[in-house]
C-alpha cells in the first residue's frame, strides 16, 4: 500500500507544516507567558517548543533525503543551499533553546518572569531562522518549480 | 486585569507577525524588481573572435551563462575559449566532426598524459554540465572548478561507474564523497554544482554525490582528462550561481 500519493514527490512537503505551526504556536504561548503567572502556560509553551523541535529534526532529515530525489535547476542551487543551511541553524537553535528553557523552568532559582523575557527575546531570533527557512523553501517551489510536476 | 494582559499579548503577537510579514513582502518586491531588470536585458550573439554563445548578458550583472558548442576548426575554437592548466593541445589532439544527427561533436583523442581545458573566465558558485560520450574512452574524466592551478582545484570525477567528489589543495587530494552510478554507453549529461558549501555531482537528472566543505576562492572551470581513448563532447554549459 502506497503511503504517499503519486503527485507528492516526498514526505518533506507534508512534514514542513508541523514545525512551522508548532513553533509558531509555542512562540505565541510564550508571549502569553510574560503576562501571566500560570505555570500551565509555561508548561504549554515548553511542550510546544519540544514538539516543534522534534518535528524540526524529522523535517530536516526528510529534507536531506529529498535533495537526492529532486531535479533542481542550476539557478535554484544557491537558494537550496541557503535553505538547507537555515534549516540546520533552526534545528540547532531550537534544540539548544528548548533544552535551556525547560531546564531553566525545572531548576531555575531566578525570577521566572525574567527568565521568560530573556528566552522570549531569544525566541525572536529562532523565529527569524524559521521564517527565513520557510521563505526560501517557498521560493524553491514557487519560483523555481522544485518538486512540482512542471 | 487578566483580560487586559491577554489583549496586550494578542496585540503584541499580531504586531510581530505583521512585522515579519512586511519584511518578507519587501524582500519579495525587491526580488521581483531584480527579475524584471534581468528579463529586459538582451542576450548578445557570438563575437567573431569567440566560439561560444552567451545565454544572457545583462550589462548590469557580472554573471554570464556560457553554453559552448563545437564550431569551426577545433584548435581555433579551443584556443579562443579555453586555455590549458595541465598538459596541452598535443595531449588531446582535438577535431570537430558531425554526427549522424547533424550535430557538431568535439572529438578528443586523449593520450595518457593528463590535460585540463578550462574557460578563460573565473567563477565562484557555479553549475557545470557537459553532454558527452565516453564509449571509447578509458580512464578518469573530471569536471573541475575553482581551479587555481594544476595543484589546487575542486573536482567531480567519473571513472567507469564510479563517481568521486573531492578537492586538490596544493597537490594533496581530499575525497568528500564517492558513489556508484549506472553507466551509459551512449550520450549522457554529467553535471556538477558548487553552491556555497554544498557540492553535487549528477548523471542525467540523478544526483550521485553530495558533499559539503568550505567555499574555495573563485577559479577556472572546465574538464580534465586522465585516461586514454576517444572522448566526444557535444556541449559544455556553465551557469554562475548568484548568492541568495
Amino acid at each position: 500500500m502506497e503511503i504517499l500519493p503519486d503527485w507528492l514527490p516526498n514526505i518533506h512537503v507534508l512534514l514542513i507544516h508541523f514545525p512551522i505551526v508548532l513553533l509558531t504556536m509555542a512562540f505565541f504561548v510564550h508571549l502569553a507567558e510574560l503576562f501571566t503567572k500560570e505555570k500551565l502556560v509555561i508548561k504549554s509553551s515548553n511542550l510546544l517548543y519540544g514538539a516543534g523541535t522534534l518535528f524540526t529534526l524529522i523535517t530536516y532529515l526528510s529534507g536531506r533525503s529529498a535533495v537526492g530525489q529532486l531535479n533542481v535547476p542550476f539557478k535554484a542551487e544557491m537558494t537550496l543551499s541557503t535553505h538547507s543551511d537555515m534549516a540546520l541553524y533552526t534545528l540547532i537553535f531550537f534544540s539548544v533553546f528548548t533544552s535551556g528553557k525547560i531546564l531553566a523552568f525545572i531548576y531555575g532559582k531566578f525570577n521566572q518572569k525574567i527568565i521568560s523575557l530573556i528566552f522570549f527575546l531569544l525566541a525572536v531570533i529562532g523565529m527569524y531562522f524559521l521564517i527565513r527557512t520557510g521563505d526560501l523553501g517557498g521560493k524553491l517551489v514557487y519560483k523555481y518549480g522544485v518538486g512540482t510536476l512542471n | 486585569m487578566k483580560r487586559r494582559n491577554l489583549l496586550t499579548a494578542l496585540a503584541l503577537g499580531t504586531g510581530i507577525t505583521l512585522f515579519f510579514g512586511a519584511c518578507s513582502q519587501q524582500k519579495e518586491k525587491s526580488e521581483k524588481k531584480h527579475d524584471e531588470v534581468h528579463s529586459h536585458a538582451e542576450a548578445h550573439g557570438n563575437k567573431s573572435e569567440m566560439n561560444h554563445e552567451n545565454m544572457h548578458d545583462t550589462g548590469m550583472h557580472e554573471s554570464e551563462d556560457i553554453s559552448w558548442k563545437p564550431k569551426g576548426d577545433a584548435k581555433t575554437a579551443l584556443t579562443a575559449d579555453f586555455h590549458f592548466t595541465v598538459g596541452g593541445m598535443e595531449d588531446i589532439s582535438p577535431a570537430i566532426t558531425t554526427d549522424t544527427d547533424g550535430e557538431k561533436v568535439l572529438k578528443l583523442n586523449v593520450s595518457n598524459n593528463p590535460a585540463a581545458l578550462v574557460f578563460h573566465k573565473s567563477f565562484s558558485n557555479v553549475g557545470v554540465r557537459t553532454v558527452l560520450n565516453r564509449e571509447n574512452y578509458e580512464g578518469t574524466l573530471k569536471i573541475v572548478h575553482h581551479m587555481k592551478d594544476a595543484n589546487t582545484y575542486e573536482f567531480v570525477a567519473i571513472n567507469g561507474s564510479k563517481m568521486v567528489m573531492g578537492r586538490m589543495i596544493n597537490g594533496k587530494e581530499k575525497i568528500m564523497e564517492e558513489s556508484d552510478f549506472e553507466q551509459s554507453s551512449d550520450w549522457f549529461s554529467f553535471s556538477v554544482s558548487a553552491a556555497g558549501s554544498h557540492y553535487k555531482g549528477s548523471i542525467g537528472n540523478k544526483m550521485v554525490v553530495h558533499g559539503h566543505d568550505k567555499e574555495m576562492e573563485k577559479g577556472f572551470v572546465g574538464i580534465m582528462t586522465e585516461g586514454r581513448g576517444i572522448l566526444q563532447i557535444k556541449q559544455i554549459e556553465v551557469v554562475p550561481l548568484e548568492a541568495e
Side-chain angles (χ1 to χ4, degrees):
Chain A
M1 189 184 84
E2 291 282 335
I3 298 169
L4 294 181
D6 289 336
W7 47 264
L8 201 60
N10 52 70
I11 204 165
H12 181 69
V13 177
L14 284 178
L15 290 173
I16 50 168
H17 299 88
F18 288 91
I20 291 170
V21 169
L22 287 166
L23 290 174
T24 306
M25 275 176 61
F27 180 75
F28 282 109
V29 174
H30 191 173
L31 179 62
E33 207 181 292
L34 302 178
F35 300 93
T36 179
K37 287 179 186 170
E38 294 287 333
K39 280 217 162 134
L40 180 64
V41 177
I42 303 174
K43 284 178 183 173
S44 299
S45 82
N46 289 346
L47 192 66
L48 286 165
Y49 276 127
T53 305
L54 179 63
F55 270 98
T56 303
L57 171 65
I58 298 166
T59 306
Y60 177 75
L61 293 173
S62 70
R64 293 248 335 203
S65 165
V67 158
Q69 298 161 26
L70 294 171
N71 182 15
V72 180
F74 277 148
K75 294 285 186 189
E77 286 286 357
M78 283 304 295
T79 303
L80 179 58
S81 168
T82 313
H83 172 68
S84 176
D85 291 342
M86 292 305 296
L88 182 60
Y89 300 154
T90 306
L91 175 62
I92 293 170
F93 179 89
F94 277 108
S95 299
V96 174
F97 172 87
T98 304
S99 309
K101 191 174 185 296
I102 291 170
L103 287 171
F105 172 69
I106 296 169
Y107 298 110
K109 292 188 168 76
F110 307 106
N111 187 317
Q112 281 295 332
K113 277 272 184 272
I114 294 171
I115 291 170
S116 285
L117 184 61
I118 292 168
F119 274 99
F120 181 77
L121 294 172
L122 290 171
V124 174
I125 300 169
M127 290 308 289
Y128 166 75
F129 287 139
L130 180 71
I131 288 168
R132 187 90 176 101
T133 307
D135 188 44
L136 290 166
K139 188 175 179 181
L140 283 170
V141 174
Y142 293 105
K143 182 172 180 180
Y144 297 112
V146 174
T148 66
L149 292 172
N150 295 327
Chain B
M1 192 68 181
K2 257 189 183 167
R3 201 178 168 190
R4 195 198 284 185
N5 285 346
L6 210 60
L7 287 170
T8 312
L10 208 64
L12 211 55
T14 310
I16 291 169
T17 311
L18 288 171
F19 172 73
F20 278 122
C23 287
S24 179
Q25 290 263 338
Q26 271 300 109
K27 204 175 182 310
E28 234 178 82
K29 274 189 190 157
S30 67
E31 271 175 17
K32 268 191 186 152
K33 215 176 175 179
H34 179 84
D35 288 345
E36 275 168 18
V37 164
H38 266 271
S39 68
H40 281 140
E42 291 167 347
H44 63 73
N46 290 338
K47 291 181 185 170
S48 56
E49 70 273 15
M50 289 267 212
N51 200 36
H52 72 255
E53 292 158 42
N54 291 331
M55 282 167 68
H56 93 198
D57 176 10
T58 64
M60 297 171 74
H61 239 287
E62 281 182 10
S63 66
E64 202 174 82
D65 296 0
I66 296 173
S67 180
W68 188 90
K69 288 182 180 173
K71 204 171 171 181
D73 171 67
K75 286 184 181 173
T76 311
L78 293 183
T79 311
D81 300 328
F82 299 88
H83 62 273
F84 286 89
T85 50
V86 179
M89 201 71 80
E90 64 281 2
D91 298 311
I92 59 171
S93 304
I96 290 177
T97 60
T98 309
D99 74 357
T100 48
D101 295 328
E103 279 186 88
K104 296 284 184 192
V105 174
L106 173 68
K107 259 193 181 151
L108 304 180
N109 192 346
V110 182
S111 71
N112 253 336
N113 299 326
L117 196 58
V118 296
F119 286 100
H120 295 314
K121 202 178 158 160
S122 294
F123 296 89
S124 48
N125 296 308
V126 71
V128 186
R129 179 179 289 114
T130 171
V131 177
L132 57 101
N133 184 322
R134 50 169 195 158
E135 200 177 351
N136 298 308
Y137 175 82
E138 264 178 34
T140 301
L141 172 68
K142 290 177 178 173
I143 290 179
V144 295
H145 56 93
H146 294 84
M147 189 174 212
K148 268 183 100 168
D149 53 46
N151 295 317
T152 302
Y153 56 88
E154 292 243 20
F155 67 88
V156 175
I158 53 174
N159 188 335
S161 62
K162 199 173 196 70
M163 184 180 285
V164 177
M165 168 185 281
R167 47 176 62 171
M168 190 76 87
I169 306 285
N170 298 321
K172 241 180 154 181
E173 191 176 82
K174 177 188 168 188
I175 306 296
M176 272 190 248
E177 189 80 20
E178 49 189 305
S179 185
D180 290 327
F181 64 93
E182 219 173 284
Q183 270 201 89
S184 169
S185 58
D186 202 355
W187 292 94
F188 64 97
S189 83
F190 170 30
S191 58
V192 162
S193 71
S197 60
H198 297 252
Y199 303 92
K200 289 182 202 163
S202 307
I203 297 290
N205 288 333
K206 198 172 181 314
M207 188 184 81
V208 179
V209 289
H210 180 189
H212 302 88
D213 210 328
K214 281 188 300 189
E215 263 186 82
M216 279 178 74
E217 274 180 43
K218 70 194 271 185
F220 299 116
V221 163
I223 56 166
M224 184 188 258
T225 57
E226 291 172 346
R228 145 183 234 111
I230 306 288
L231 182 66
Q232 298 181 79
I233 296 171
K234 275 187 183 172
Q235 184 181 6
I236 305 175
E237 193 185 335
V238 179
V239 178
L241 307 179
E242 290 168 26
E244 179 52 47

